[in-house]
């Protein structure tokens, strides 16, 4: 039992998923395993995926990446949250920020105090009590080792994969360029034995990581691990992506702007702006989608918008036999909350924890798959929330979103918030209480009840004084921050392309 059975790890695919997996495995387990990554320059990568969430910072710490170096190499900018425009009603806008709101206690979260104040006719907006949100609104940003800000990054997906490739190769990852023409399975066990390249070269392995994108060359085309479709809740199945030149604006947040049958993203990088429209092809033709996207760009597109088709759902067995899928091959949730890269990072982190040194046993596989399923489903619910809570009735698409049946798990959460202003982070939930609260309030849920903690803070005048002082402290701190663009230019300026 002492000789490890799994030593040769083969990663199929070199997009964000492939190189994230290779970098983390090399850094953490490089002394115990051999890693080979196969990718095809001809096939290329999906080429999108430029907005992240704060968990990326923890992952980068695991790799001991230098933030400035990584930002310079990827034309990166900072992200403090996402602005949702026209989602509940046309003209609405709210920010889902990454920050903590006010001061919560074990007894009740801060929004209950704010709800108390609102019921008395004061208190302003909930976002007034969030430093990151106010900094985003003011287009300000600052970070240092002692800075308490919660943030993520925007970066160029192609440059990110290239950067991690350099990192992985420097730590011993062997890269093979070329097309995989066939996957060789063991006749007795069905396990994958090797990838066979178009050149005839055979790449054997003990464990395979399928990062081949939507095609799922190993996990689906070979092992037929199955697919659970979530199209009944998330109708989006297409995206048009395009880039525009930078202008003076470099907002420290992603914009998500609801359109007639989908939504448009805007992601500012140092050298350009990433734009795209995610839409439902049942409700919008490609030409209509193109027109909507192009007429709503801030600058001339740098090329013709590129179409990407996708399916929303997850692989039934994310890990099957000796093959683990990561990235687009494992499932897909539209990028509304920028969660895909996080799922790759958590997927590889989990693999490192559950690494099958002594073989891919059913118990290990089941544990990995259970955790992954729960995580995917919890994020799915959070994304559905944005659609379900719309009040828009201007198009068939939005009416269908508003009227759709939703998973029971989500129904219960909305009811609880409506009834008692109670939001929670369940085990395996990526999104914190503050996230659920910001989105539910932003989407116009009006809680009918609340925890009465606010009444324990004294009379109305005392409550108002405490809230005003919290707000004033945040405003004063935000006023001292530099403009985001100025900070980026001094902290991590990239070379112009
Ligand atoms: P790919 O990039 O498709 O890479 C597949 C790799 O497999 C390539 O290297 C290819 O060469 C290789 N390959 C395939 N077949 C073969 C073969 N036969 N032989 C050899 N090699 C092969 N995520 C976020 O977190 N934030 C976002 O803002 C975000 N925005 C998105 C917007 C859109 C419209 C879409 C569709 C996705 C978005 N995502 C986002 C998801 C993100 O793009 C992906 O999670 C990420 O890029 C990972 O892709 P991948 O590496 O799995 O696949």
């Amino acid at each position: 039992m002492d000789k490890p059975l799994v030593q040769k790890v083969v990663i199929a695919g070199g997009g964000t998923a492939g190189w994230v997996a290779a970098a983390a495995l090399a850094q953490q387990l490089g002394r115990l395993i051999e890693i080979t990554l196969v990718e095809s320059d001809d096939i290329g990568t999906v080429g999108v995926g430029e907005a992240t969430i704060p968990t990326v910072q923890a992952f980068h710490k695991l790799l001991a990446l230098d933030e400035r170096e990584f930002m310079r190499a990827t034309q990166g900018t900072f992200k403090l949250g996402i602005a949702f425009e026209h989602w509940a009603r046309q003209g609405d806008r709210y920010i889902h920020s990454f920050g903590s709101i006010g001061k919560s206690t074990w007894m009740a979260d801060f929004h209950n105090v704010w709800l108390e104040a609102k019921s008395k006719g004061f208190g302003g907006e909930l976002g007034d009590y969030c430093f990151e949100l106010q900094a985003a609104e003011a287009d300000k940003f600052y970070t240092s080792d002692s800075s308490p800000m919660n943030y993520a990054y925007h970066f160029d997906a192609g440059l990110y994969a290239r950067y991690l490739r350099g990192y992985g190769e420097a730590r011993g990852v062997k890269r093979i360029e070329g097309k995989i023409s066939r996957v060789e399975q063991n006749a007795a066990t069905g396990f994958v034995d090797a990838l066979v390249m178009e050149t005839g070269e055979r790449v054997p392995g003990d464990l395979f990581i399928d990062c081949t994108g939507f095609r799922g060359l190993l996990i689906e085309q070979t092992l037929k691990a199955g697919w659970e479709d979530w199209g009944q809740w998330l109708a989006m199945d297409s995206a048009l992506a395009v880039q525009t030149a930078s202008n003076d604006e470099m907002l420290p947040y992603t914009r998500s702007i609801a359109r007639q049958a989908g939504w448009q993203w805007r992601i500012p990088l140092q050298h350009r702006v990433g734009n795209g429209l995610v839409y439902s092809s049942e409700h919008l033709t490609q030409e209509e989608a193109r027109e909507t996207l192009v007429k709503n760009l801030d600058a001339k597109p740098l090329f013709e918008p590129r179409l990407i088709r996708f399916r929303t759902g997850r692989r039934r067995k994310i890990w099957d036999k000796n093959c683990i899928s990561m990235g687009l091959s494992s499932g897909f949730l539209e990028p509304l909350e920028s969660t895909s890269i996080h799922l790759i990072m958590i997927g590889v982190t989990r693999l490192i924890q559950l690494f099958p040194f002594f073989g891919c046993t059913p118990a290990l596989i089941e544990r990995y798959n259970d955790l992954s399923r729960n995580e995917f489903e919890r994020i799915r619910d959070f994304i559905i929330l944005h659609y379900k809570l719309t009040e828009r009735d201007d198009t068939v698409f939005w009416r269908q979103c508003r009227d759709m049946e939703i998973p029971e798990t989500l129904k219960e959460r909305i009811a609880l918030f409506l009834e008692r202003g109670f939001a929670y982070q369940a085990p395996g939930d990526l999104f914190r209480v503050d996230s659920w609260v910001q989105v539910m309030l932003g989407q116009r849920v009006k809680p009918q009840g609340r925890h009465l903690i606010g009444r324990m803070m004294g009379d109305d005048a005392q409550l108002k004084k405490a809230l005003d002082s919290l707000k004033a402290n945040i405003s004063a701190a935000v006023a001292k921050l530099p403009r985001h663009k100025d900070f980026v230019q001094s902290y991590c300026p990239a070379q112009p392309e």
Side-chain angles (χ1 to χ4, degrees):
M1 173 83 178
D2 232 31
K3 186 172 177 317
L5 296 174
V6 171
Q7 281 176 317
K8 278 188 196 320
V9 176
V10 177
I11 300 173
T16 304
W19 283 112
V20 160
L25 286 167
Q27 167 74 354
Q28 298 297 325
L29 299 181
R31 291 167 68 168
L32 302 174
I33 58 177
E34 269 173 46
I35 306 162
T36 304
L37 184 145
V38 181
E39 67 178 320
S40 155
D41 290 343
D42 281 355
I43 295 175
T45 66
V46 71
V48 279
E50 311 203 309
T52 58
I53 56 174
T55 51
V56 66
Q57 280 196 53
F59 184 78
H60 284 182
K61 283 208 177 90
L62 204 75
L63 302 189
L65 292 189
D66 178 276
E67 184 175 70
R68 290 178 179 215
E69 184 193 278
F70 135 76
M71 294 286 279
R72 278 196 296 267
T74 61
Q75 299 278 351
T77 64
F78 294 96
K79 172 178 171 186
L80 292 167
I82 305 175
F84 289 94
E85 300 172 32
H86 312 302
W87 275 82
R89 292 184 195 167
Q90 300 224 45
D92 277 6
R93 176 177 177 277
Y94 66 93
I95 290 192
H96 167 199
S97 99
F98 296 142
S100 300
I101 302 171
K103 291 196 168 91
S104 293
T105 69
W106 66 268
M107 192 187 294
D109 291 298
F110 173 80
H111 65 275
N112 290 281
V113 176
W114 174 78
L115 285 171
E116 182 69 29
K118 289 306 278 181
S119 75
K120 309 268 170 60
F122 59 90
E125 300 298 323
L126 186 68
D128 295 346
Y129 305 93
C130 178
F131 177 51
E132 284 79 355
L133 194 149
Q134 290 308 311
E137 290 289 27
D139 185 13
K140 304 265 189 109
F141 185 85
Y142 182 76
T143 182
S144 71
D145 286 347
S146 56
S147 159
M149 263 195 171
N150 290 308
Y151 61 87
Y153 309 108
H154 298 128
F155 50 62
D156 179 317
L159 295 178
Y160 188 60
R162 195 188 301 169
Y163 180 70
L164 290 183
R165 173 180 160 191
Y167 178 99
E169 287 184 318
R171 284 160 184 78
V173 176
K174 180 178 166 207
R175 172 180 182 265
I176 298 177
E177 197 287 314
K179 269 193 206 156
I180 304 160
S181 66
R182 193 160 64 75
V183 178
E184 205 180 277
Q185 271 179 287
N186 185 291
T189 61
F191 276 40
V192 176
D193 277 343
L195 306 180
V196 182
M197 308 297 295
E198 266 186 1
T199 54
E201 183 186 358
R202 196 172 166 274
V203 186
D206 306 316
L207 182 72
F208 291 79
I209 306 185
D210 185 345
C211 298
T212 59
F214 288 123
R215 50 181 73 70
L217 194 65
L218 286 73
I219 197 76
E220 194 53 46
Q221 292 187 30
T222 309
L223 296 175
K224 318 238 175 306
W227 179 259
E228 186 174 310
D229 200 89
W230 291 336
Q232 76 269 36
W233 298 304
L234 295 165
M236 306 300 173
D237 59 6
S238 310
L240 283 170
V242 76
Q243 295 161 7
T244 51
S246 305
N247 50 27
D248 189 46
E249 195 180 71
M250 189 193 281
L251 297 174
Y253 56 86
T254 304
R255 285 177 68 195
S256 159
I257 310 153
R259 300 288 180 214
Q260 69 270 44
W263 58 276
Q264 186 171 342
W265 79 76
R266 192 168 189 287
I267 298 175
L269 304 178
Q270 292 190 44
H271 61 326
R272 61 165 169 80
V273 178
N275 305 269
L277 184 81
V278 176
Y279 66 97
S280 154
S281 66
E282 192 193 320
H283 299 88
L284 211 60
T285 64
Q286 188 179 333
E287 197 36 48
E288 287 167 332
R290 188 193 167 281
E291 235 180 80
T292 303
L293 174 64
V294 171
K295 89 168 175 233
N296 287 300
L297 294 173
D298 291 347
K300 244 177 88 125
L302 297 177
F303 50 78
E304 192 46 36
R306 194 165 56 85
L307 179 70
I308 303 161
R309 295 258 187 230
F310 56 79
R311 276 192 304 165
T312 297
R314 69 168 186 98
R315 196 68 58 205
R316 281 190 195 282
K317 292 187 225 160
I318 287 183
W319 180 345
D320 193 14
K321 300 194 162 60
N322 62 338
C323 172
I324 300 167
S325 51
M326 270 180 211
L328 300 172
S329 65
S330 66
F332 186 66
L333 282 160
E334 64 184 75
L336 189 60
E337 287 283 355
S338 323
T339 43
S340 292
I341 296 171
H342 161 80
L343 283 166
I344 300 168
M345 292 173 172
I346 197 79
V348 69
T349 310
R350 177 171 305 136
L351 172 61
I352 291 167
Q353 289 170 331
L354 295 178
F355 197 84
F357 294 106
F358 300 104
C360 297
T361 60
L364 265 186
I365 294 176
E366 198 179 314
R367 178 81 187 136
Y368 186 95
N369 284 341
D370 262 7
L371 292 169
S372 310
R373 179 190 45 74
N374 185 45
E375 220 157 49
F376 257 101
E377 288 178 357
R378 299 287 70 77
I379 296 174
R380 174 203 68 191
D381 284 3
F382 191 64
I383 293 175
I384 297 172
L385 183 76
H386 300 66
Y387 290 99
K388 175 62 185 173
L389 292 181
T390 190
E391 293 180 5
R392 285 182 63 156
D393 61 3
D394 52 306
T395 61
V396 174
F397 171 80
W398 288 108
R399 286 194 293 276
Q400 282 178 0
C401 290
R402 187 194 59 192
D403 298 339
M404 72 178 153
E405 275 300 314
I406 54 173
E408 283 302 318
T409 37
L410 181 58
K411 229 188 244 176
E412 175 253 347
R413 272 188 200 263
I414 298 174
L416 199 53
F417 191 68
L418 184 62
E419 195 183 291
R420 234 304 300 276
F422 188 80
Y424 61 93
Q425 182 173 15
D429 252 342
L430 168 63
F431 289 100
R432 296 168 308 130
V433 171
D434 284 340
S435 293
W436 287 94
V437 169
Q438 288 179 88
V439 173
M440 286 197 270
L441 290 174
Q443 298 279 155
R444 292 182 172 266
V445 178
K446 302 242 174 309
Q448 288 150 11
R450 62 191 170 278
H451 193 291
L452 293 183
I453 189 171
R455 292 193 191 170
M456 289 150 70
M457 293 173 66
D459 59 19
D460 289 0
Q462 285 167 314
L463 178 60
K464 185 164 184 320
K465 195 171 160 209
L467 291 179
D468 284 350
S469 134
L470 204 53
K471 259 198 273 192
N473 288 343
I474 290 174
S475 298
V478 168
K480 288 192 199 132
L481 301 175
R483 196 174 162 231
H484 175 234
K485 187 169 186 174
D486 295 340
F487 181 76
V488 168
Q489 282 174 352
S490 68
Y491 182 78
C492 51
Q495 295 296 322
E497 280 236 307

